[in-house]
Amino acid sequence: MDFKDLDPVLHSQLRLAIMSILISVEEAEFTLLKEKTNATAGNLSVQINKLRDAAYITVVKQFKENYPQTICKITATGQKAFSDYVASIQSYLHAGKRK
């Protein structure tokens, strides 16, 4: 039985949480991600940048009513990476059931 390597970018609790949110919505504002993940603004920013650097998400910074707004969207690369990561985890979970 060969175990698939887990994507080190996604194998972080906060980055995985961000991707899990973004996989189910078209886009998410920084404030929503912060609220849903209970992360600090600083830590969330660092993890978003790591996902952006891996081309898993795009980040758009703009202003809305004179307030800065950061919007994150998952990319096709990110969707594939997430799907592959989930498949890898499932292979680990089912490893003991195979003969």
Side-chain angles (χ1 to χ4, degrees):
M1 166 94 222
D2 289 331
F3 288 99
K4 298 177 184 177
D5 289 338
L6 298 177
D7 184 334
V9 175
L10 295 179
H11 202 64
S12 150
Q13 183 175 345
L14 184 51
R15 288 192 297 265
L16 186 59
I18 294 165
M19 292 293 285
S20 296
I21 294 165
L22 293 176
I23 200 83
S24 64
V25 296
E26 187 174 326
E27 63 184 33
E29 289 185 39
F30 183 90
T31 52
L32 174 72
L33 294 172
K34 186 174 177 289
E35 176 186 308
K36 295 284 187 186
T37 62
N38 292 317
T40 64
N43 193 14
L44 184 59
S45 287
V46 168
Q47 303 312 320
I48 285 173
N49 286 335
K50 288 183 181 187
L51 291 168
R52 185 197 62 213
D53 292 347
Y56 289 177
I57 66 172
T58 58
V59 179
V60 176
K61 293 182 181 266
Q62 60 191 20
F63 282 89
K64 182 180 179 183
E65 299 174 10
N66 292 328
Y67 293 98
Q69 181 184 45
T70 301
I71 298 175
C72 300
K73 295 181 183 183
I74 195 165
T75 63
T77 301
Q79 290 173 338
K80 175 147 181 17
F82 186 85
S83 177
D84 290 348
Y85 184 85
V86 169
S88 294
I89 291 291
Q90 288 174 335
S91 73
Y92 277 72
L93 296 174
H94 294 100
K97 297 178 183 177
R98 296 184 188 138
K99 294 181 180 181

